[in-house]
Amino acid sequence: MTDYVDLAIKYGGYTSLDRVYLTNLLGTIPEDLRLRMITPPPSVLNAYFAELYQKKSPKEAMEYFLDLSRAFDLFTDEFSFDEGKPFIRLNLSGKSYGLAYVNEELACVFAEHPAAAITPSILFEIAEIFPHCLVFEKDGKICLQEAGPEVVTKTEALTALTDLITLEDGRFKLSGYNQEELLEQAHTYSGNLSFRSENRTAMIYIDRK
């Protein structure tokens, strides 16, 4: 019981003043329903996520959501606004999307009303919202994964606006200020593409494996 109460106070929108109340309340609920009972509602989850995003950073907001996903078993591979588990709401190009974690390392963005195709522009838009992440399409889903450290072995100017960077792990990275030009350059290489945007610089990673 103590573990559930501590969890509720840490993440569920309750305070230490609610400890006795929670203990008594949870004592009347079957154990298999207690975790669901203390899971923060979507309104609390989204409000705290937005506050962390604005006052601290997108990375800290995502880490908070990952911690909650671990603590309250919010990991999912069912992406729907009707699925039942709380998720983060996003507005992308005027349309409603959700964000949920699949596992410890991978999150997915999903549309309330799925579009016919996932476009580079929507991937870049998500990358601008979460600049610490790589954004890519996999099996028809929009995926996010935290970008790891990079070791550059070579940098070459392709145009006045675009650089080609070779990374130690074998990936190419196209970096520049014009998304359309980056996409044109990316099409001359073969490999899986990941998108990133940071400090107004757009990036496309090309995994040649």
Side-chain angles (χ1 to χ4, degrees):
M1 180 70 71
T2 301
D3 290 344
Y4 287 109
V5 172
D6 290 342
L7 198 59
I9 291 172
K10 184 175 182 179
Y11 293 116
Y14 296 93
T15 73
S16 58
L17 295 176
D18 301 315
R19 183 173 292 277
V20 173
Y21 165 79
L22 281 168
T23 301
N24 291 334
L25 175 64
L26 293 174
T28 67
I29 297 172
E31 186 168 357
D32 60 342
L33 297 179
R34 288 173 186 170
L35 192 63
R36 179 177 295 185
M37 174 68 193
I38 61 173
T39 298
S43 58
V44 172
L45 172 61
N46 278 270
Y48 202 68
F49 183 93
E51 185 175 9
L52 283 171
Y53 186 99
Q54 293 167 6
K55 294 184 177 178
K56 293 194 174 181
S57 70
K59 188 175 188 297
E60 291 202 44
M62 288 281 283
E63 287 176 348
Y64 157 75
F65 183 38
L66 178 57
D67 284 344
L68 254 72
S69 297
R70 287 192 198 105
F72 296 102
D73 190 24
L74 301 183
F75 294 128
T76 183
D77 55 8
E78 297 292 331
F79 303 107
S80 166
F81 273 51
D82 301 322
E83 195 267 331
K85 292 187 177 181
F87 58 87
I88 301 300
R89 286 182 173 266
L90 303 172
N91 186 311
L92 303 173
S93 299
K95 296 181 180 179
S96 295
Y97 284 77
L99 170 70
Y101 269 97
V102 180
N103 53 42
E104 294 275 353
E105 298 180 352
L106 189 70
C108 280
V109 169
F110 52 98
E112 181 177 13
H113 305 293
I118 297 171
T119 63
S121 62
I122 200 74
L123 298 178
F124 267 128
E125 186 174 354
I126 295 167
E128 289 168 0
I129 297 171
F130 301 108
H132 65 293
C133 289
L134 296 177
V135 183
F136 54 95
E137 181 181 357
K138 183 177 181 181
D139 299 329
K141 298 181 176 65
I142 300 173
C143 301
L144 286 79
Q145 194 167 35
E146 187 168 342
E150 298 174 0
V151 178
V152 176
T153 60
K154 183 181 178 182
T155 301
E156 174 188 355
L158 294 181
T159 71
L161 296 175
T162 301
D163 290 335
L164 172 64
I165 299 166
T166 304
L167 301 177
E168 188 179 53
D169 60 14
R171 290 178 298 166
F172 285 150
K173 179 170 79 169
L174 295 167
S175 177
Y177 299 97
N178 186 303
Q179 294 180 5
E180 291 183 3
E181 183 173 292
L182 284 184
L183 286 167
E184 288 177 5
Q185 293 290 340
H187 289 154
T188 65
Y189 299 89
S190 60
N192 296 320
L193 305 184
S194 299
F195 296 74
R196 192 178 179 192
S197 182
E198 187 175 26
N199 299 325
R200 298 184 179 180
T201 301
M203 292 162 271
I204 297 177
Y205 292 74
I206 305 165
D207 189 343
R208 299 178 291 165
K209 296 178 181 178

